[in-house]
């Protein structure tokens, strides 16, 4: 059946270059001698190590477990011995190393005994716990821990479960091939997600440049007892962005700053749901993923690769990179980043490796000034005004950039793609975002410091006053019949203190009754400080009167 | 290292400017056909002056000369100014206007991308205010001119102010239709008698309406090439047509109809080539509509009530001032923000 397709602003049509890697079925890659498994392969907390160097582990064995709410476990992709746990280069835009487990493989590929998880009978809490141990993350590239998104619904379910098979980035075809070859398993994954989230509607979104995948998914969906709609969306980058896909297939715009679940929507990548199916039905944790290897290589294609496999090993399988290769890009050409080295491992987020060459991705010409042509605004899928954000970022007018919703920018690169002046706009936005975040942090720290300082000053003042009172008392006790001048001074001080006291206790109408206890406490504290200060100045005033007298 | 996206599709600034110049070609051809080849001399003069001035200013400002010379923006400014000036004006008028446009209106404000005012219109306004008489000496359409000048005659006139023996200035020049209409209406002549004069064509001025049609053609090409969007031409021409149409319906004896306004003066040049200058114009779709509609209204007001026969240059410059205000108040709704 046909479903209604909505629209979003902008979008671009970069050359697809997908045919190169769809010619052959997915090929299984062998086991390399060594796997490198970064602990952080997902968004969220670093998982807690559960093994140490020298341990022998089996395929699927837990190496590190999820820590905190948003985190994901790491498992051994094959059997072998842990050689070391230390910082290694990882595939990350920063190019910085991170803690990784190095596993010397034994070639046996021996599984840890595992069994199906009786997910249909399991109590929601137990199921949530089990999913937490799965280590599954979003395989579309964002690598957000799936357990957080798959918490079994306790109340009313979702309105829409959206399955993302759009794969809008050029070059990448891993989801395409997966849908062609393993549609039945994906549909079983959809059934599981629907069951857990009690979704009313299930929609699979596929771009219209993948007719084979669409056909396979339609056939698989037809076999399902569940009503699953396959929605064919026009090929338009970035239709595979979760919020854009949601808008395309449901017409719902997820409000800025909110989660999609706030409007009853949850989006999963096709490969992620397949992993969920494999985990719950066979107890298999994620040990491998499909990676597209393409660009400047001899035999582009899709490979099923053990996590932790060095990228160079994968490249060799694809016939090796051609001689004019000048770098490796992980991800697509629109949002991908340059790998720091060919030895970095394939991680859960690695959907594609592109060998780059000047022929494919020529160096952009030097940037010209912005001519305000607003092509970027026409292309922006978030309806931002990239040219304004650029001016503000460039001028470091960060507050303005924030006002113009800089933080709604998804860094998809459409603006740079169409810019006739070849301005690296996305880099300007990243810079401005990080500046703003840094400033906010500094501001917060400064506020904290100021509060501390105020508190310190008030404490010093209080102590001074207490000392003065003590001194006065002592003096009064020692010289019972002191000079009348002293008496007068004392009387003046007492009168001043009494006035201050009266002022303090005077009941004035306050508009703070309805505030939270914490805020009220803060106000009370501030009032006390003020009264103390007044008391102190009263003492000063009395002293002065005395001297003048 | 991080430079995503790794691919781009856009035509460069130079290509965009080249296409703008290409879009002007039909208008130039029509101009030569209707008014003689003098305009080619103006175009060449303005181009050379613009390039020399641009290069000199870039040098003075220690900016790379070649990339900016090749961006084509100075040439576009030169062509627009040359097409807006009377083609038989003395050579120094064109040079002064171009110098003002490039040196003051463009480079002193920071060069490409930084000029708040349309440089060609600044040059034009400066000349109109400083040399009003020279700026109203337009060649008569060849179809009704008392004498025809050869290319060399025009060259001689532009550079030496010498006309061939026996030909007076009156024989080759005339007031523009807009000018004629304005002065004749003041003299209480009837609309019908004014527009039946040979100077007037089917709906605009004789010859001028053909050139305007050619500009329209070039404009449509730019729209098809996605160099301009529909907003500015439609809003400008729409507002001009609406103002003149309403006035014409109310009092046809005193107000010329919309077709006359659309095909006279600089209307079509403004709609597609001048008001659409991205640098000095607004960027938001709604902003473009407001900007161009206001130019249309102002142009009509100046033409009908103002002291000058045409009002395009002043209208554009006045609205250039308002661009930051317009942009700030017409921001489109961002995805996921309240409607």
């Amino acid at each position: 059946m046909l479903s209604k397709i909505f629209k979003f602003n902008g979008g671009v049509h970069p050359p697809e270059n997908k045919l190169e890697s769809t010619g052959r079925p997915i090929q299984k890659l062998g086991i390399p001698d060594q796997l490198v498994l970064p602990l952080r392969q997902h968004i969220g907390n670093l998982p807690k190590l559960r093994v140490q160097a020298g341990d022998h582990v089996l395929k699927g064995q837990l190496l590190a477990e999820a820590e905190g709410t948003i985190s994901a476990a790491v498992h051994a992709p094959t059997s072998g011995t842990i050689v070391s746990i230390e910082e290694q280069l990882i595939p990350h835009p920063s190019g910085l190393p991170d803690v990784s487990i190095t596993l010397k493989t034994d070639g046996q590929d021996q599984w840890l005994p595992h069994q199906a998880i009786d997910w249909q009978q399991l109590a929601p809490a137990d199921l949530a716990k089990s999913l937490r141990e799965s280590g599954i993350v979003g395989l579309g590239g964002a690598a957000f821990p799936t357990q957080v998104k798959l918490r079994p619904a306790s109340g009313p379910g979702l309105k829409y479960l959206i399955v993302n098979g759009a794969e809008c980035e050029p070059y990448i075809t891993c989801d395409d091939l997966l849908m062609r070859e393993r549609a039945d398993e994906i549909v079983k994954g959809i059934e599981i997600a629907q069951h857990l989230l009690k979704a009313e509607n299930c929609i699979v979104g596929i771009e219209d440049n993948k007719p084979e995948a669409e056909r396979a998914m339609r056939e698989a969906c037809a076999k399902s007892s569940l009503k699953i709609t396959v929605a064919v969306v026009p090929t338009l980058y970035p239709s595979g962005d979760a919020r854009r896909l949601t808008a395309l297939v449901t017409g719902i715009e997820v409000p800025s700053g909110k989660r999609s679940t706030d409007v009853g929507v949850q989006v999963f990548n096709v490969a992620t749901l397949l992993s969920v199916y494999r985990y719950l039905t066979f107890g298999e944790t994620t040990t491998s993923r499909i990676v597209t290897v393409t660009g400047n290589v001899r035999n582009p294609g899709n490979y099923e690769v053990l996590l932790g496999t060095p990228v160079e090993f994968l490249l060799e399988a694809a016939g090796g990179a051609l001689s004019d290769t000048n770098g490796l890009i992980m991800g697509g050409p629109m949002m991908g980043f340059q790998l720091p080295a060919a030895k970095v491992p394939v991680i859960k987020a690695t959907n594609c490796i592109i060998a780059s060459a000047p022929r494919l991705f020529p160096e952009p010409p030097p940037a010209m000034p912005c001519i305000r042509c607003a092509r970027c605004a026409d292309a922006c899928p978030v309806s931002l005004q990239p040219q304004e954000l650029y001016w503000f970022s460039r001028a470091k007018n960060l507050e303005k950039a924030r006002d113009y919703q800089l933080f709604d920018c998804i860094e998809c690169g459409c603006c740079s793609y169409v810019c006739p002046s070849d301005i690296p706009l996305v880099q300007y936005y990243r810079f401005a975002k990080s500046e703003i975040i840094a400033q906010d942090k500094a501001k917060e720290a400064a506020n904290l410091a100021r509060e501390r300082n105020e508190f310190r000053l008030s404490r010093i003042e209080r102590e001074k006053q207490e000392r003065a009172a003590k001194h006065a008392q002592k003096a009064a006790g020692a010289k019972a019949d002191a000079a009348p001048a002293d008496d007068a001074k004392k009387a003046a001080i007492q009168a001043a203190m009494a006035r201050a006291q009266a002022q303090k206790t005077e009941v004035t109408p306050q508009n703070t009754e309805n505030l939270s206890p914490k805020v009220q406490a803060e106000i009370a504290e501030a009032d006390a400080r003020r009264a103390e200060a007044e008391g102190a100045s009263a003492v000063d005033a009395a002293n002065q009167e005395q001297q003048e007298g | 290292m991080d430079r995503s996206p790794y691919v781009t599709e856009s035509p460069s600034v130079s290509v965009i400017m080249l296409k703008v110049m290409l879009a002007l070609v039909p208008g130039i051809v029509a101009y030569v056909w209707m008014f003689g080849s003098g305009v080619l001399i103006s175009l060449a003069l303005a181009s050379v002056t613009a390039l020399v001035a641009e290069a000199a200013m870039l040098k003075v400002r220690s900016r790379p000369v070649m990339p900016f010379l090749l961006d084509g923006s100075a040439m576009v400014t030169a062509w627009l100014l040359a097409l807006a000036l009377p083609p038989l004006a003395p050579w120094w008028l064109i040079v002064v206007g171009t110098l003002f446009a490039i040196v003051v209106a463009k480079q002193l404000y920071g060069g490409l991308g930084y000029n708040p005012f349309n440089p060609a219109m600044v040059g034009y306004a400066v000349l109109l205010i400083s040399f009003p008489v020279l700026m109203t000496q337009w060649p008569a359409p060849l179809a009704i001119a008392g004498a025809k000048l050869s290319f060399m005659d025009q060259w001689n006139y532009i550079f030496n102010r010498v006309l061939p023996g026996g030909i007076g200035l009156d024989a080759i020049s005339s007031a523009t239709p807009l000018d004629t209409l304005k002065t004749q209406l003041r003299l209480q002549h009837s609309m019908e008698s004014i527009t039946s004069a040979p100077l007037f064509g089917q709906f605009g001025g004789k010859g001028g309406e053909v050139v305007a049609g050619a500009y329209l053609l070039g404009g449509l090409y730019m729209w098809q090439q996605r160099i301009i969007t529909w907003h500015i031409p439609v809003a400008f021409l729409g507002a001009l047509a609406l103002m003149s149409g309403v006035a014409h319906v109310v009092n046809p004896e005193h107000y010329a109809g919309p077709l006359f306004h659309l095909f006279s003066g600089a209307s079509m040049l403004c709609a597609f080539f001048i008001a659409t200058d991205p640098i000095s114009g607004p960027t938001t779709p709604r902003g473009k509509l407001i900007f161009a509609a206001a130019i249309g209204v102002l142009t009509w007001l100046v033409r009908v009530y103002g002291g000058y026969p045409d009002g395009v240059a002043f209208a554009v410059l006045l609205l250039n001032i308002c661009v930051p205000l317009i942009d700030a108040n017409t921001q489109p709704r961002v995805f996921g923000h309240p409607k």
Side-chain angles (χ1 to χ4, degrees), chain B residues 258-275:
Chain B
L259 272 178
F260 176 77
H261 277 285
L262 295 186
F263 283 87
S264 297
S267 299
M268 285 297 169
L269 194 63
C270 173
F272 292 99
F273 294 93
I274 295 169

Side-chain angles (χ1 to χ4, degrees), chain A residues 515-524:
Chain A
L515 296 172
S516 72
K518 185 169 169 279
V519 176
Q520 279 189 355
E522 275 167 11
I523 292 170

Side-chain angles (χ1 to χ4, degrees), chain A residues 68-91:
Chain A
T69 317
I70 300 177
S71 186
V74 176
H75 300 84
T78 185
S79 53
T81 310
I82 293 169
V83 184
S84 70
I85 300 170
E86 59 187 9
E87 289 207 330
Q88 303 241 33
L89 266 189
I90 62 161

Side-chain angles (χ1 to χ4, degrees), chain B residues 303-325:
Chain B
R303 282 180 182 181
V304 175
Y305 302 108
Y308 292 95
D310 203 351
V312 163
F314 295 116
V316 168
L317 292 176
L318 274 174
L319 263 297
N320 283 161
I321 303 175
C322 307
V323 163
L325 190 69

Side-chain angles (χ1 to χ4, degrees), chain B residues 141-213:
Chain B
L142 294 181
I144 58 164
K148 291 194 175 60
L149 297 181
S150 70
F151 182 77
M152 275 323 288
D153 292 340
Q154 296 178 64
W155 176 279
N156 264 327
Y157 188 64
I158 290 170
F159 284 95
N160 308 316
R161 301 317 274 172
V162 181
L163 281 172
I167 299 178
L169 184 61
D170 288 347
I172 54 157
S173 74
S174 82
T176 62
L178 276 173
D179 204 355
T180 311
L181 184 71
K182 192 171 223 168
T183 43
Q184 300 280 318
L185 281 173
R186 286 219 179 108
L187 297 171
Q188 307 293 325
H189 292 268
S190 78
M191 181 67 78
E192 209 190 331
S193 71
I194 301 170
T195 53
S196 59
L199 183 63
F200 289 81
Q202 292 300 315
F203 26 80
K206 191 161 274 169
E209 62 192 15
V210 178
V211 179

Side-chain angles (χ1 to χ4, degrees), chain A residues 145-345:
Chain A
T146 302
Q147 44 118 342
V148 182
K149 289 165 76 177
L150 260 188
R151 296 238 166 88
S154 47
L158 285 177
K159 185 116 178 56
Y160 291 102
L161 168 69
I162 298 172
V163 183
N164 193 342
E167 199 164 54
C168 60
E169 270 252 19
Y171 287 91
I172 310 176
T173 57
C174 55
D175 290 346
D176 184 3
L177 271 276
L178 198 72
M179 287 188 282
R180 292 188 201 186
E181 296 181 18
R182 304 181 195 175
D184 288 331
E185 289 180 283
I186 294 170
V187 169
K188 286 194 176 116
I190 299 173
E191 287 167 356
I192 293 170
Q194 190 278 336
H195 178 84
L196 295 182
L197 302 172
K198 298 182 194 158
E200 283 172 43
N201 304 285
C202 300
I203 306 176
V204 184
I206 304 175
E207 273 193 348
D208 62 9
N209 59 0
K210 293 181 258 301
E212 290 96 333
E214 182 209 330
R215 201 176 318 124
M217 286 302 288
R218 275 192 202 285
E219 280 167 17
C221 289
K223 282 185 253 166
S224 170
S225 57
L226 202 64
K227 188 176 157 285
I228 305 171
T229 312
V230 175
V232 177
V233 300
T235 298
L236 178 68
Y237 178 85
S239 67
D241 172 72
R243 288 179 185 224
R244 260 32 69 181
L245 187 64
T246 303
L248 280 171
V249 299
T250 67
I252 296 173
E253 276 186 22
V254 178
S256 168
K258 294 217 163 152
R259 293 198 186 89
S260 66
T261 44
D262 292 340
V263 287
V265 176
Q266 191 65 280
V267 186
F268 294 94
N269 168 267
V270 283
T272 312
L273 290 182
L274 192 144
S275 297
V276 169
Y277 161 73
R278 301 286 314 174
Y279 176 68
L280 291 182
T281 314
F282 305 104
E284 286 176 13
T285 54
T286 310
T287 56
S288 63
R289 70 155 295 146
I290 315 294
V291 182
T292 306
V293 185
T294 184
N296 208 33
V297 293
R298 246 169 228 107
N299 308 310
N302 281 280
Y303 296 84
E304 184 161 5
V305 188
L306 289 181
L307 296 173
T309 300
V311 167
E312 51 196 358
F313 185 81
L314 177 60
L315 278 174
E316 239 157 78
L322 299 174
S323 59
D324 58 337
T325 299
N326 64 353
L328 298 171
I329 296 167
M330 175 170 137
M334 294 299 287
M335 288 183 80
F337 59 91
Q338 194 97 20
L339 288 176
K343 63 168 191 184
V344 297

